[in-house]
């Protein structure tokens, strides 16, 4: 972190907590009697309350999407490349809200929180969340913040699924949808990778059926493995090759099982880091939410029919080397949207960075996404602000 | 100010039509049609600058290579399908015509007329491949791989049993000049055709998809 904050940063931000006492009925049949949502905001809500943008996070994301929590932060929020003054989501024009979803491990109610009914942490008994449940909780946060209708709801990957669900659950409350590197449903291969991740966690002896907190352990090895597998799917073969090739850490092969190739070192490091900051039960829950999402399921698999309630313009973006949620998945969504006569634009960004590309800066990505946001700015007459 | 061929097309698109605009460029036509004629639909484009311009205008644009066909669009999904100045750049213009009239019952197509007198002068007298306002590229870097004439296109439509319901020429400054009306193949710089399905033209989608997959 630089000693002075970059000019195009939202600067220092402080997370806030909203407490909700209104019970939330979940898709799994259970009810959350009360819960907290942690969120951050950037920019100013205008007098008409028309300039709010909701950011939905992906599997391991959270409410810290932009800016810095402290001067000593090594890195800004996870989508800082796209949120800030003069950036794609221009905080001089828009009031941006990013939250940590329920079931998360960064402050919102989740498996690490105390279950008021037992006085113990929820642990593995925390109800499985669905994308619909999240969207419902997000709408309540919007109510709390006085936002009737979002100028845009935006998200990548699992976040893109939430955007799609917004257009179906609350079509009157979303003026524009930006669905990036997402899919309307996971493929068998996607679910398979998630299951490997889950098995890695659940078979760790330190997992204790999810009660590791009570046992004073952490299933770090399992979580590390899960992250390593996941991380491979976020990168492209090309980007891994370009970054590591077959480079060795030392000059020669050492004929053993310690780290030899740079890519092994990188994956282990990523896994280790992740296993110390992320909760295993949250990871399991998030992968399940991914697996379950399938809005077409209620319409015999006919996505175009399922999309009937949607009414806002969509921007769908995919990345050429993304094989986790490949461009073909985005095209399926676009085809269903056009079949349903919904306003949609689609762009495939040529990028070597695989699924991770949605997090990174890229001139064309920014031009496309920025162009769409610029049109919203113009239509909502938000230009007067700055 | 709209390009001459676009202005003419604009008048040919019925109010409230559902339109697919192939190679929609910066979305000028769709924007005007949506604003003035309640036309809804999508533009297809591959040029990044064109796509960004569409997004800024609020024109629905889908990044799609026309050479891969239109398999993602259903039969009869649109009232009108438009393709301006792109036919000559496609790998198989004939198959694209089939695809266009599968997706919509009516289409408007514009392309540079290779038999335009200035082009003939270039080739016939000077002995060089024509370079003009409508054909600005050199022979070695042109995207226009299937150049044709007013007559060629009419011939193809006849072969395919398509109905030409209207035709016009765009001619830079000489719009509607007597010479280009009487001898469009000689005096028309841009050919503009309005076509629709003839009897027995329609083919099955499966067949089209198979064909386009192999050939387009």
């Amino acid at each position: 972190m630089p000693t002075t904050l970059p000019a195009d940063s939202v600067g220092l931000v402080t997370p806030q907590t909203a407490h909700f006492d209104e019970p939330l009925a979940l898709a799994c049949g259970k009810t959350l009697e009360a819960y907290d949502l942690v969120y951050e905001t950037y920019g100013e809500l205008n007098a008409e309350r028309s300039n709010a943008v909701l950011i939905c996070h992906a599997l391991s994301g959270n409410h810290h999407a932009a800016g810095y929590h402290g001067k000593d932060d090594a890195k800004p929020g996870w989508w800082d490349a796209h949120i800030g003054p003069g950036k794609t989501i221009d905080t001089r024009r828009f009031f941006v809200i990013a939250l940590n979803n329920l079931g998360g491990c960064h402050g919102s109610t989740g498996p690490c929180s105390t279950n008021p009914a037992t006085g113990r942490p929820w642990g593995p008994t925390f109800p499985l969340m669905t994308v619909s449940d999240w969207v419902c909780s997000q709408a309540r946060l919007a109510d709390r913040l006085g936002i009737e209708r979002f100028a845009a709801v935006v998200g990548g990957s699992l976040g893109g699924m939430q955007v799609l669900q917004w257009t179906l659950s609350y079509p009157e409350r979303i003026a524009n949808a930006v669905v990036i590197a997402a899919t309307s449903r996971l493929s068998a291969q996607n679910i398979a990778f998630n299951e490997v991740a889950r098995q890695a966690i659940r078979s760790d002896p330190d997992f204790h059926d999810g009660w590791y907190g009570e046992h004073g352990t952490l299933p770090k090895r399992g979580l590390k493995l899960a992250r390593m597998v996941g991380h491979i799917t976020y990168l492209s073969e090309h980007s891994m090759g370009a970054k590591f090739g077959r480079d060795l850490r030392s000059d020669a092969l050492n004929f053993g099982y310690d780290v030899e190739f740079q890519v092994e070192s990188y994956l282990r490091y990523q896994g280790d880091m992740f296993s110390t900051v992320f909760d295993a039960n949250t990871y399991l829950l998030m992968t399940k939410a991914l697996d379950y999402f399938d809005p077409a399921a209620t319409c015999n698999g006919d996505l175009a029919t399922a999309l009937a309630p949607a009414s806002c313009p969509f921007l769908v973006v995919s990345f050429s080397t993304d094989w986790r949620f490949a461009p073909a998945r985005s095209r399926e969504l676009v085809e269903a949207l056009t079949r349903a006569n919904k306003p949609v634009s689609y762009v495939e960004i040529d990028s070597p960075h695989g699924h991770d590309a949605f997090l990174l800066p890229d001139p064309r990505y920014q031009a496309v996404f920025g162009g769409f946001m610029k049109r919203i700015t113009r239509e909502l007459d938000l230009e007067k602000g700055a | 100010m709209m390009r001459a061929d676009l202005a003419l097309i604009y008048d040919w698109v019925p109010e409230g039509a559902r339109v697919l605009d192939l190679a929609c460029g910066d979305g000028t036509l769709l924007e005007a049609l949506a604003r003035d004629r309640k036309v809804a639909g999508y533009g297809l484009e591959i040029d990044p600058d064109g796509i960004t311009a569409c997004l800024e205008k609020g024109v629905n644009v889908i990044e799609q290579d026309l050479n891969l066909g239109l398999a993602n669009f259903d039969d009869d999904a649109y009232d009108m399908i438009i393709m301006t100045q792109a036919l000559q750049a496609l790998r198989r213009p004939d198959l694209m015509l089939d695809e266009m009239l599968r997706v919509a019952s009516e289409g408007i197509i514009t392309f540079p007329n290779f038999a335009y007198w200035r082009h003939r002068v270039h080739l016939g007298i000077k002995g060089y491949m024509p370079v003009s306002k409508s054909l600005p590229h050199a022979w070695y870097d042109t995207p226009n791989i299937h150049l044709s004439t007013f007559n060629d296109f009419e011939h193809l439509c006849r072969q395919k049993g398509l109905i030409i319901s209207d035709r016009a020429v765009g001619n830079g400054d000489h719009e509607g000049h007597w010479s280009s009306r009487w001898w469009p193949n000689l005096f028309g710089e841009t050919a503009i055709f309005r076509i629709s399905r003839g009897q027995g033209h329609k083919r099955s989608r499966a067949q089209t998809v198979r064909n386009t997959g192999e050939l387009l």
Side-chain angles (χ1 to χ4, degrees):
Chain A
M1 142 96 211
T3 46
T4 54
L5 296 168
D8 62 352
S9 167
V10 298
L12 287 174
V13 290
T14 310
Q16 301 170 71
T17 302
H19 179 76
F20 296 84
D21 279 320
E22 191 191 348
L24 183 69
L26 305 170
C28 66
K30 296 178 184 167
T31 299
L32 267 185
E33 296 299 334
Y35 53 91
D36 289 342
L37 289 176
V38 169
Y39 65 97
E40 290 179 2
T41 67
Y42 323 110
E44 300 282 334
L45 185 61
N46 61 4
E48 298 83 10
R49 297 171 182 271
S50 64
N51 68 334
V53 172
L54 178 69
I55 309 293
C56 301
H57 72 72
L59 178 62
S60 60
N62 55 43
H63 54 281
H64 186 38
Y68 299 84
H69 283 161
K71 292 258 178 196
D72 301 325
D73 286 5
K75 281 196 286 187
W78 58 269
W79 225 18
D80 196 78
H82 298 284
I83 302 168
K87 291 184 185 172
T88 313
I89 301 172
D90 190 343
T91 50
R92 296 172 306 181
R93 316 274 194 243
F94 293 107
F95 175 63
V96 180
I97 303 168
L99 80 162
N100 184 211
N101 279 327
L102 285 173
C105 54
H106 293 91
S108 291
T109 301
C112 300
S113 312
T114 302
N115 178 354
T118 63
R120 296 164 62 195
W122 285 92
T125 65
F126 192 83
L128 287 192
M129 304 295 300
T130 64
V131 169
S132 297
D133 296 331
W134 282 333
V135 166
C136 188
S137 68
Q138 291 162 2
R140 287 191 181 175
L141 180 63
D143 293 341
R144 180 69 57 89
L145 297 174
I147 292 148
E148 182 67 31
R149 188 168 188 247
F150 283 107
V153 181
V154 178
S157 195
L158 175 56
M161 292 175 168
Q162 293 158 55
V163 178
L164 184 53
Q165 188 59 47
W166 260 96
T167 69
L168 307 178
S169 296
Y170 302 102
E172 71 289 351
R173 300 193 66 175
I174 169 171
N176 291 280
V178 183
V179 179
I180 305 169
T183 174
S184 71
R185 59 175 169 191
L186 258 53
S187 68
Q189 189 191 46
N190 293 145
I191 295 171
F193 274 114
N194 281 346
E195 176 58 6
V196 172
R198 285 190 292 264
Q199 285 302 320
I201 292 168
R202 296 178 61 82
S203 60
D204 185 329
D206 287 332
F207 182 66
H208 296 292
D209 291 326
W211 293 109
Y212 42 88
E214 308 230 318
H215 284 81
T217 60
L218 281 176
K220 281 190 181 176
R221 285 166 294 176
L223 198 50
K224 172 182 172 177
L225 270 180
R227 183 60 171 183
M228 287 169 75
V229 168
H231 208 94
I232 296 168
T233 70
Y234 303 149
L235 304 179
S236 68
E237 185 179 11
H238 175 87
S239 62
M240 265 195 169
K243 203 165 182 176
F244 308 109
R246 293 179 50 85
D247 294 353
L248 297 171
R249 292 194 74 198
S250 56
D251 293 340
L253 298 177
N254 54 29
F255 298 95
Y257 294 107
D258 280 342
V259 168
E260 291 191 88
F261 292 94
Q262 289 290 6
V263 66
E264 296 174 303
S265 169
Y266 171 80
L267 277 182
R268 289 190 194 195
Y269 175 77
Q270 291 292 332
D272 280 332
M273 292 300 289
F274 189 75
S275 69
T276 60
V277 297
F278 209 82
D279 178 62
N281 283 320
T282 289
Y283 198 87
L284 292 172
L285 177 155
M286 293 280 174
T287 63
K288 274 299 197 186
L290 272 166
D291 291 2
Y292 289 160
F293 185 68
D294 183 8
T298 52
C299 300
N300 286 324
D302 182 352
L303 184 57
T305 305
L307 290 168
S311 57
C312 71
F314 283 74
L315 172 64
V316 178
V317 178
S318 71
F319 297 91
S320 56
T321 55
D322 182 353
W323 58 282
R324 186 178 173 93
F325 296 153
R329 302 284 82 73
S330 286
R331 284 198 298 269
E332 280 168 7
L333 173 60
V334 173
E335 186 172 340
L337 284 164
T338 56
R339 186 166 289 148
N341 294 328
K342 306 296 180 186
V344 57
S345 290
Y346 168 69
V347 178
E348 182 182 318
I349 307 291
D350 195 16
S351 164
H353 298 295
H355 188 59
D356 261 356
F358 89 87
L359 296 166
L360 305 171
D362 173 281
R364 177 145 195 250
Y365 179 24
Q366 285 157 288
V368 161
F369 188 0
F372 190 77
M373 297 305 291
K374 210 178 284 175
R375 193 261 308 157
I376 300 172
T377 308
R378 197 182 63 241
E379 283 181 1
L380 291 175
D381 199 20
L382 302 177
E383 272 148 15
K384 57 196 175 197
Chain B
M1 179 68 189
M2 234 188 289
R3 213 169 68 203
D5 59 333
L6 295 186
L8 210 140
I9 291 168
Y10 175 86
D11 291 333
W12 282 357
V13 178
E15 179 103 11
R18 290 200 42 74
V19 168
L20 203 58
D21 185 356
L22 311 181
C24 66
D26 65 5
T28 301
L29 178 66
L30 278 175
E31 185 191 34
L33 288 170
R35 185 187 57 225
D36 306 338
R37 306 218 155 173
K38 298 184 175 57
V39 162
Y42 308 95
L44 269 51
E45 186 51 70
I46 49 169
D47 174 56
D49 294 335
I51 290 171
T52 303
C54 285
L55 289 168
E56 289 180 4
K57 285 190 175 85
V59 167
N60 296 317
V61 62
I62 294 170
E63 182 168 344
Q64 183 165 337
D65 182 352
L66 299 179
N67 282 317
L68 301 176
L70 303 173
N72 50 327
F73 296 99
D74 291 335
D75 295 5
D76 287 314
Y78 297 88
D79 302 314
M80 177 71 85
I81 190 159
I82 300 167
M83 184 161 63
T84 58
Q85 304 295 333
L87 189 75
Q88 75 282 355
L90 297 177
R91 279 205 280 276
R92 284 295 299 267
D94 56 331
L95 297 180
M96 179 47 84
L97 277 182
D98 294 337
E99 271 290 77
M100 290 174 72
L101 291 181
R102 172 184 66 76
V103 169
S105 54
E106 208 180 354
I108 300 170
I109 292 174
T110 81
F111 58 89
N113 175 28
F114 200 66
Y116 177 51
W117 70 270
R118 285 182 190 276
H119 298 157
R120 295 187 195 205
V121 167
H122 254 273
L123 188 60
I125 297 173
K126 296 183 186 167
Y128 287 101
M129 281 299 280
V131 176
S132 68
K133 208 165 61 182
S134 63
L135 293 174
H137 300 276
W139 64 272
Y140 46 81
D141 67 359
T142 179
N144 302 324
I145 54 176
H146 284 118
L147 289 162
S148 66
T149 69
F150 210 88
N151 289 352
D152 281 329
F153 189 78
E154 288 200 339
H155 181 71
L156 178 62
C157 290
R158 270 201 302 279
Q159 264 187 343
K160 286 185 172 293
L162 305 180
I163 297 165
I164 296 172
S165 53
D166 217 333
R167 46 174 226 185
V169 291
N171 221 4
D173 311 331
H174 304 284
E175 186 82 42
H177 192 266
W178 65 270
S179 54
S180 57
R181 245 179 299 139
W182 286 101
W183 294 290
N185 198 43
L186 184 57
F187 292 108
E189 189 171 6
T190 300
I192 308 172
F193 284 89
R194 182 172 181 173
I195 56 173
S196 56
R197 272 175 215 150
Q199 290 291 318
H201 166 73
K202 199 175 168 209
R203 58 160 86 202
S204 77
R205 187 178 188 210
Q207 169 106 40
T208 309
V209 171
R210 198 162 53 244
N211 277 353
T212 53
E214 285 167 8
L215 299 170
L216 269 185

